[in-house]
């Protein structure tokens, strides 16, 4: 799901009041009851209703109507709240395009605040923005079913709002580390702003090292990178994900380190393990790609002299204290989530009985995985809309990542069979239909055909019309 760059400019104060009311209400409710939204937003019922419908249409909120009528923020709703805050502070002026999708993050290239004197300047030739910045949104919980299953203990009892909360902590942590490292002259992007689960940082015009096939002097680059790993340890830190995807290299072979939510203290019981893993990652890459040879890996306690305890300083910093007070439990826990995620996935890809796991996870998923990760969408079934049509609609909306495959025909045949297994869907068929969007997404990604593409583009045309209509409605609310 991509952000609509224009929507932020159409949403009015009232829309944000309702979004904020839902955010506040989510502290105590998984889905915030409508009367509470009305009172928190201090808006009239009819007005609130109209606004909610629009937010729903744009997928900024999700609806629950089993035992009562309630709404919760989606990640997208949370995104717009953060974007609004950035804009208010002037650290962001325009939302741009998605340039990266991490396992648990989305990265957007945006326009950052422009100084008054530069307002009339044109962007540098070939550049999209005058002051390009990157916005990184954390999306904790956006993992595969199997990862979710294996992380079960960690996930226990997590509700939608707690995923937003954890994403906020991960982002706060990443920003705090980036700031501290930047201040110590580590080659990181410039940390500009942080709000909720989002970070604004400078855009680095460089390539991830994974994409670089040739280097003028690989030994020199390796030495520089190793020096950074060692320097981090001297400051009491282990990056924890120091690989070719998190290291950017520009035309002049200048390095930039990114991606910090999993940063770990050298006091962590497994610090040596993570440290070794970082160095090994680097060595493996330079060995495979550039034929370099290595002997041994430094030992933290033996070979590295700690100069500063940056980890402690960060936790004690005003910025972190202001957000979390003394309760740093989640802050400390968050790196476990990031550090162990990859291992779980690797382990599983070697598993023999993937099918079983998937099947089992699907069932568990319904019971345990919070709605926000799972994105189970409750959809009203009107008389003309068949289940087939609704699932196709979901496929459309989940096909951002259209990975074509010839297997789609097979999928089409197999889909009804799988649905039959889903008792919940069968049970609610009469009035409401619960669609496991992630399940559908997984399938859609794997099994997409040209047939379906044609169908989709036809539907998209209709959808565009609907969006235009919605935008017209928004214009009614447009102040300024
Ligand atoms: N400041 C930046 N400037 C330019 N590109 C960036 C910047 N930050 C991130 N990116 C791009 O976005 C990609 C993902 O960023 P990042 O590694 O921080 O996210 P992630 O969620 O950890 O991703 P993954 O889980 O795949 O490691 C990077 O590989 C890089 O290409
Ligand atoms: Mg990364």
């Amino acid at each position: 799901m991509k952000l609509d760059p224009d929507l932020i400019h159409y949403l009015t104060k009232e829309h944000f009041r309702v979004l904020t009311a839902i955010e506040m209400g989510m502290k105590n409710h998984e889905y915030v009851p409508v009367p509470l939204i009305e009172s928190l937003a201090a808006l009239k019922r009819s007005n609130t209703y109209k606004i909610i419908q629009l937010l729903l249409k744009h997928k900024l909120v999700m609806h629950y109507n089993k035992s009562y009528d309630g709404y919760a923020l989606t990640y997208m709703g949370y995104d717009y709240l953060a974007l609004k805050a950035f804009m208010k502070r002037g650290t962001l002026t325009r939302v741009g395009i998605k340039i990266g999708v991490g396992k648990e993050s989305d990265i957007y290239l945006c326009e950052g605040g422009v100084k008054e004197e530069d307002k009339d300047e044109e962007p540098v030739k070939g550049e999209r923005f005058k002051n390009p910045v990157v916005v990184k949104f954390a999306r904790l919980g956006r993992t595969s079913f199997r990862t979710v299953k294996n992380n079960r203990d960690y996930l226990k009892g997590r509700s939608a709002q707690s995923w937003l909360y954890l994403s906020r902590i991960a982002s706060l942590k990443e920003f705090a580390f980036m700031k501290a490292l930047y201040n110590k002259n580590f080659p990181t992007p410039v940390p500009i702003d942080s709000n909720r689960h989002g970070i604004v940082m400078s855009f680095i015009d460089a390539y991830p090292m994974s994409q670089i096939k040739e280097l003028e002097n690989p030994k020199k680059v390796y030495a520089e990178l190793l020096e950074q790993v060692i320097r981090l340890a001297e400051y009491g830190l282990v990056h924890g994900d120091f690989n070719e995807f998190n290291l950017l290299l520009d035309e002049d072979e200048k390095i930039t380190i990114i991606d910090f939510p999993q940063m770990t203290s050298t006091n962590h019981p497994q610090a040596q393990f993570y440290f070794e893993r970082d160095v090994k990652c680097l060595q493996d890459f330079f060995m495979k790609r550039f034929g370099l040879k290595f002997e041994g890996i430094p030992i933290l306690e033996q070979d590295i002299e700690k100069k500063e305890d940056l980890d402690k300083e960060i936790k004690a910093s005003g910025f972190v204290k202001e957000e979390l007070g003394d309760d740093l439990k989640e802050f400390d826990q968050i790196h476990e989530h990031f550090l162990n995620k990859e291992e779980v996935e690797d382990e599983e890809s070697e598993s023999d009985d993937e099918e079983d796991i998937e099947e089992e996870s699907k069932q568990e998923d319904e019971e345990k995985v919070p709605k926000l990760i799972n994105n189970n969408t409750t959809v009203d079934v009107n008389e003309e809309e068949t289940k087939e049509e609704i699932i196709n609609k979901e496929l459309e909306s989940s096909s951002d990542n259209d990975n074509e495959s010839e297997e789609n025909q097979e999928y089409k045949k197999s889909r009804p069979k799988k649905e039959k297994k889903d008792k919940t869907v069968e049970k609610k068929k009469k009035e409401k239909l619960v669609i496991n969007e992630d399940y559908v997404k997984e399938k859609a990604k794997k099994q997409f055909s040209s047939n379906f593409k044609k169908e989709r583009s036809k539907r998209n045309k209709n959808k565009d019309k609907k969006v235009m209509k919605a935008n017209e409605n928004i214009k009614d609310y447009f102040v300024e």
Side-chain angles (χ1 to χ4, degrees):
M1 194 68 71
K2 284 181 195 145
L3 291 177
D4 173 353
D6 297 325
L7 188 61
I8 188 87
H9 302 290
Y10 288 119
L11 295 174
T12 64
K13 272 186 198 153
E14 273 84 11
H15 290 115
F16 281 105
R17 243 155 77 188
V18 170
L19 279 177
T20 311
I22 296 175
E23 182 186 32
M24 284 162 72
M26 282 175 75
K27 284 185 186 138
N28 299 313
H29 302 263
E30 194 171 350
Y31 286 88
V32 189
V34 174
L36 183 60
I37 302 176
E38 280 163 25
S39 82
L40 288 171
L43 289 170
K44 281 192 195 132
R45 173 156 295 196
S46 59
N47 214 1
T48 311
Y49 177 79
K50 223 163 139 185
I51 289 171
I52 286 177
Q53 288 315 305
L54 197 130
L55 298 176
L56 205 54
K57 208 170 211 168
H58 287 277
K59 300 197 164 79
L60 271 56
V61 295
M62 52 191 170
H63 188 199
Y64 168 88
N65 59 357
K66 282 178 197 152
S67 43
Y68 65 94
D69 220 12
Y71 292 87
L73 284 180
T74 60
Y75 263 123
M76 188 128 56
Y78 208 41
D79 293 352
Y80 280 95
L81 281 170
L83 289 172
K84 187 71 183 167
F86 293 141
M87 286 188 164
K88 208 168 163 189
R89 293 176 193 159
T91 47
L92 198 84
T93 48
R94 263 200 295 163
V95 180
I97 49 162
K98 199 191 246 187
I99 56 163
V101 182
K103 272 180 232 75
E104 290 188 294
S105 73
D106 281 334
I107 318 275
Y108 284 85
L109 175 64
C110 299
E111 183 174 76
V114 180
K115 283 186 207 136
E116 200 54 45
E117 61 264 30
D118 297 336
K119 282 239 159 89
D120 300 324
E121 296 277 315
E122 286 296 313
V124 178
K125 202 161 176 242
E127 295 282 345
R128 200 180 171 89
F129 297 124
K130 280 181 226 169
N131 176 22
V133 294
V134 158
V135 177
K136 176 173 177 175
F137 287 118
R139 307 247 189 265
L140 260 75
R142 190 176 66 182
T143 44
S144 76
F145 289 124
R146 270 169 279 151
T147 311
V148 166
K149 176 182 181 278
N150 280 269
N151 276 332
R152 223 178 311 163
D153 286 347
Y154 181 78
L155 297 171
K156 238 173 220 163
R158 290 248 171 258
S159 60
Q161 79 270 34
S162 82
W163 282 110
L164 296 184
Y165 175 73
L166 278 190
S167 292
R168 182 160 78 82
I169 306 297
S171 194
L172 168 79
K173 183 168 180 185
E174 172 147 35
F175 190 70
F177 276 100
M178 203 194 295
K179 243 167 86 168
L181 294 180
Y182 180 75
N183 289 340
K184 298 284 176 193
N185 293 322
F186 279 90
T188 69
V190 184
I192 299 173
D193 203 356
S194 152
N195 185 269
R196 296 179 171 84
H197 63 319
I199 292 175
V200 184
M201 60 181 123
S202 62
F203 168 71
I204 307 295
D205 193 5
Y207 301 95
M209 238 174 48
S210 56
Q211 291 178 17
I212 290 170
K213 303 278 179 267
E214 268 177 45
L215 282 175
E216 220 162 87
N217 193 344
K219 270 189 188 160
K220 184 170 160 266
V221 177
Y222 172 78
E224 273 174 26
L225 288 167
L226 185 65
E227 192 196 320
Q228 295 304 332
V229 182
I230 292 172
R231 239 190 109 215
L232 281 172
E234 287 173 346
Y235 279 95
L237 298 169
V238 181
H239 184 281
D241 203 6
F242 206 80
N243 61 41
E244 63 271 28
F245 301 97
N246 293 329
L247 298 166
L248 308 179
L249 214 66
D250 72 10
E251 300 280 346
D252 305 322
E253 301 194 350
K254 181 178 172 294
I255 52 170
T256 305
I257 310 171
I258 57 166
D259 205 0
F260 310 101
Q262 69 291 321
M263 290 278 282
T264 309
S265 162
T266 47
N267 294 327
H268 187 279
Q270 287 179 38
Q272 176 62 29
F273 170 80
Y274 294 131
F275 176 79
E276 270 185 37
R277 197 171 72 175
D278 278 357
V279 179
K280 188 92 185 21
C281 236
L282 207 57
Q283 294 186 342
D284 283 352
F285 176 76
F286 276 83
M287 190 170 68
K288 282 185 198 145
R289 182 87 36 115
F290 304 108
L292 300 192
K293 291 204 176 92
F294 305 97
E295 264 175 40
I297 289 175
I299 296 171
L300 265 184
E301 289 200 358
Q302 207 176 292
D303 302 326
I304 293 164
E305 196 184 326
K306 205 196 275 187
K307 292 179 183 152
E308 242 180 89
D309 223 337
L310 212 50
D311 184 46
K312 277 192 193 140
E313 280 175 41
I314 291 165
K315 285 186 202 166
S317 72
F319 170 66
V320 173
K321 287 265 162 198
E322 195 184 306
E323 286 280 329
L324 297 177
D326 288 324
D327 186 12
L328 294 164
K329 199 170 80 243
E330 306 278 22
F331 189 87
D332 279 336
Q333 212 181 31
I334 212 83
H335 67 267
E336 306 283 349
H337 172 86
F338 282 94
L339 283 168
N340 297 323
K341 198 174 50 173
E342 214 142 46
E343 280 166 46
V344 170
E345 279 171 1
D346 288 344
E347 218 174 83
E348 278 164 5
S349 58
E350 286 160 20
S351 162
D352 286 330
D353 38 31
E354 284 197 1
E355 271 295 309
D356 288 356
I357 295 171
E358 204 171 309
E359 200 52 49
E360 205 183 311
S361 311
K362 245 184 279 158
Q363 286 163 11
E364 287 187 14
D365 155 68
E366 275 175 12
E367 294 151 29
K368 296 192 175 147
V369 182
K371 295 231 161 31
L372 202 76
I373 337 164
N374 196 15
N375 270 340
N376 276 343
T377 320
T378 312
V379 183
D380 280 315
V381 182
N382 67 35
E383 264 142 42
E384 289 99 51
E385 258 176 340
T386 63
K387 186 163 83 180
E388 188 69 17
E389 280 173 332
I390 289 164
I391 291 179
N392 280 341
K393 250 194 216 166
E394 292 302 303
L395 283 165
E396 267 173 46
S397 67
S398 65
S399 57
D400 277 357
N401 239 336
D402 305 347
N403 288 349
E404 285 106 323
S405 147
E406 308 117 32
E407 292 169 312
N408 187 51
Q409 293 300 335
E410 203 184 305
Y411 164 52
K412 279 193 159 178
K413 278 182 222 148
S414 69
R415 207 178 61 210
K417 208 170 75 204
K418 298 226 168 180
E419 278 156 28
K420 264 182 209 157
K421 277 190 198 166
D422 191 339
K423 288 182 189 146
T424 336
V425 170
E426 284 301 300
K427 236 162 93 187
K428 303 194 173 141
K429 196 174 161 189
K430 283 186 193 146
E431 358 163 341
K432 303 278 166 233
L433 185 62
V434 176
I435 294 163
N436 187 328
E437 205 178 279
D438 273 1
Y439 165 56
V440 176
K441 266 186 195 174
E442 280 294 310
K443 292 291 171 192
K445 268 192 217 163
K446 286 185 197 151
Q447 305 157 327
F448 208 76
S449 80
S450 55
N451 252 359
F452 188 74
K453 256 183 148 181
K454 277 185 214 151
E455 181 66 14
R456 190 188 53 146
S457 83
K458 230 194 288 168
R459 284 170 192 279
N460 273 349
K461 273 183 200 152
N462 293 338
K463 215 163 81 183
D464 283 349
K465 278 183 206 154
K466 279 186 204 157
V467 171
M468 295 237 318
K469 252 186 161 171
N471 282 344
E472 277 164 27
N473 290 345
I474 306 170
K475 278 176 197 154
D476 291 342
Y477 296 99
F478 192 50
V479 283
E480 280 161 343

